[in-house]
Amino acid sequence: MTERTYRRGAAGASAGSDDFAITVRGLTKAYGAVPVLRGLDLAVPHGSVTAVLGASGSGKTTLLRVIAGFEAADAGLVILAGRVVDDGRRVLRPQHRAGGYVPQDAGLFPHLTVRANIAFGLARSDRRRATELAELVGLGGLDHRYPHQLSGGQQQRVALARALAVDPAVVLLDEPFGSLDVALRAGLRAEVMTILREAKATTVLVTHDQDEALATADQVAVLDRGRLLAHGSPRELYERPPTPQVATALGVANILPGRLAAGLVHCVFGTFRLSAPGGEHDAECLVMVRPEHLVLRPDARGPTATVTRVAYHGHDAVVELRSDSPDEPPLLARLSGGDAPAVGTRLAVATIGTPHVWVRS
């Protein structure tokens, strides 16, 4: 049984409403003979934060560059605030799209000060706004410095201030935190998103980081090989993904074979009732349980498995377990770090709540 044989429901984006700051319809883009975007649809509401999540080569950066105007679409439409800026034939130049773009490497001019970098592209009469924006992004008093005198996080703040200087209709972020160390990335990300939300800026964030997408966005768009796999709220997609592929794109998932009969699902965890109507007839299914929804007990009640590996992270631990059946895939459980069992321990396995199920169509 392949990925495509299982469905919970279609996920996609409508387009063309005044509620959307960005509308993409049927977007197609190729580099030579290599297709990158394949008839992609996406809609981003005004004032929202949308994370575009995908692996390398999924087309997420190309999508952002086409929206920004750095690349031209081969076919389809790009609409910003109700205005067609690219229809596959006529393309509005980036400087006329009222958009702000923040690249991964900040892209600052090394010979210009912080203030001059922020003011780049502003009319001379508006350049005092650069000082105000430096204060907004936490760089007050540093506007006389040059990029080489700043940390990586400070450089990204300058890039953000420069993007906001033109009062953009949309702000496009191309993995702006990817080159920073873990501790700095989390703090700066929170600060940047606070600034963008206070500015009520419509934001598109391209990322390959699942945690980043889930933590920052109002909605997540999952891309794979130039196609939109799913589009919805972080919680909806994490807890009720439309397909197994989307489930694993948003985090670790235990996906196991099961059998549906008379509204009951039978799998390695036991038997449980579907949380939604349906499944009156016998059918094969797949069952998803996130690692944090597995409960491990030292008693022998219920299905048991043996701990084969423990990855200790301090605040939590990821535990791999295997059942006695050679046909069953390993299970992954996420526990508090202080509750991590020893390798070789035999434990009973149960679930919290009702596992998510895809029924074979």
Side-chain angles (χ1 to χ4, degrees):
M1 294 175 291
T2 65
E3 161 74 26
R4 295 179 183 175
T5 61
Y6 293 95
R7 292 291 184 268
R8 180 188 63 84
S14 60
S17 167
D18 290 339
D19 293 336
F20 300 124
I22 304 171
T23 303
V24 173
R25 295 181 187 164
L27 189 61
T28 300
K29 176 67 179 177
Y31 295 116
V34 180
V36 180
L37 301 176
R38 308 165 186 253
L40 190 145
D41 293 339
L42 181 66
V44 179
H46 288 283
S48 68
V49 177
T50 294
V52 179
L53 177 67
S56 297
S58 62
K60 57 187 185 298
T61 291
T62 297
L63 170 63
L64 203 71
R65 290 180 61 81
V66 171
I67 294 173
F70 301 137
E71 303 280 354
D74 295 335
L77 288 176
V78 178
I79 304 170
L80 299 184
R83 181 186 189 189
V84 176
V85 297
D86 190 340
D87 62 4
R89 300 183 304 276
R90 295 177 298 275
V91 182
L92 193 67
R93 296 175 68 86
Q95 60 267 35
H96 301 305
R97 296 195 183 195
Y101 184 83
V102 180
Q104 183 173 355
D105 62 356
L108 303 180
F109 298 106
H111 62 290
L112 297 181
T113 63
V114 166
R115 186 176 187 278
N117 264 286
I118 296 173
F120 186 83
L122 291 177
R124 187 176 298 276
S125 59
D126 294 333
R127 291 188 177 180
R128 65 177 179 275
R129 176 166 163 76
T131 300
E132 298 171 359
L133 285 166
E135 292 281 353
L136 177 66
V137 298
L139 295 176
L142 302 180
D143 54 355
H144 62 286
R145 292 191 180 183
Y146 289 87
H148 72 273
Q149 296 173 310
L150 304 175
S151 68
Q154 289 172 330
Q155 291 180 19
Q156 285 301 92
R157 294 184 195 197
V158 176
L160 176 64
R162 183 174 62 187
L164 292 173
V166 296
D167 195 19
V170 298
V171 176
L172 308 174
L173 308 175
D174 188 6
E175 302 203 50
F177 316 113
S179 61
L180 305 176
D181 64 71
V182 175
L184 178 59
R185 181 163 66 240
L188 180 61
R189 181 176 66 206
E191 292 175 10
V192 166
M193 301 316 295
T194 296
I195 292 168
L196 290 171
R197 290 188 186 280
E198 288 178 349
K200 295 181 172 57
T202 302
T203 303
V204 178
L205 167 67
V206 159
T207 182
H208 65 273
D209 187 320
Q210 303 156 348
D211 291 339
E212 185 167 272
L214 294 172
T216 60
D218 300 309
Q219 58 180 2
V220 177
V222 183
L223 264 61
D224 179 62
R225 289 173 288 185
R227 299 186 188 279
L228 183 69
L229 297 183
H231 186 204
S233 73
R235 184 166 186 172
E236 174 191 6
L237 293 185
Y238 186 79
E239 296 182 357
R240 298 179 296 280
T243 67
Q245 186 178 3
V246 174
T248 55
L250 287 164
V252 178
N254 296 297
I255 299 177
L256 302 165
R259 185 78 194 177
L260 178 65
L264 298 177
V265 177
H266 307 271
C267 69
V268 67
F269 300 116
T271 300
F272 56 90
R273 186 170 296 279
L274 284 177
S275 58
E280 290 77 13
H281 304 290
D282 288 3
E284 293 179 353
C285 62
L286 290 179
V287 179
M288 180 199 80
V289 179
R290 295 289 185 187
E292 61 271 20
H293 294 157
L294 281 180
V295 177
L296 306 181
R297 298 190 308 265
D299 57 68
R301 290 176 297 170
T304 58
T306 302
V307 176
T308 54
R309 182 171 59 88
V310 176
Y312 178 74
H313 300 290
H315 52 80
D316 67 5
V318 177
V319 179
E320 181 186 84
L321 306 106
R322 287 187 177 272
S323 68
D324 293 331
S325 173
D327 298 328
E328 295 288 350
L331 301 176
L332 292 178
R334 190 182 302 277
L335 312 173
S336 167
D339 296 331
V343 172
T345 305
R346 189 78 176 173
L347 297 168
V349 182
T351 64
I352 299 172
T354 303
H356 184 67
V357 174
W358 299 280
V359 181
R360 187 175 186 181
S361 57

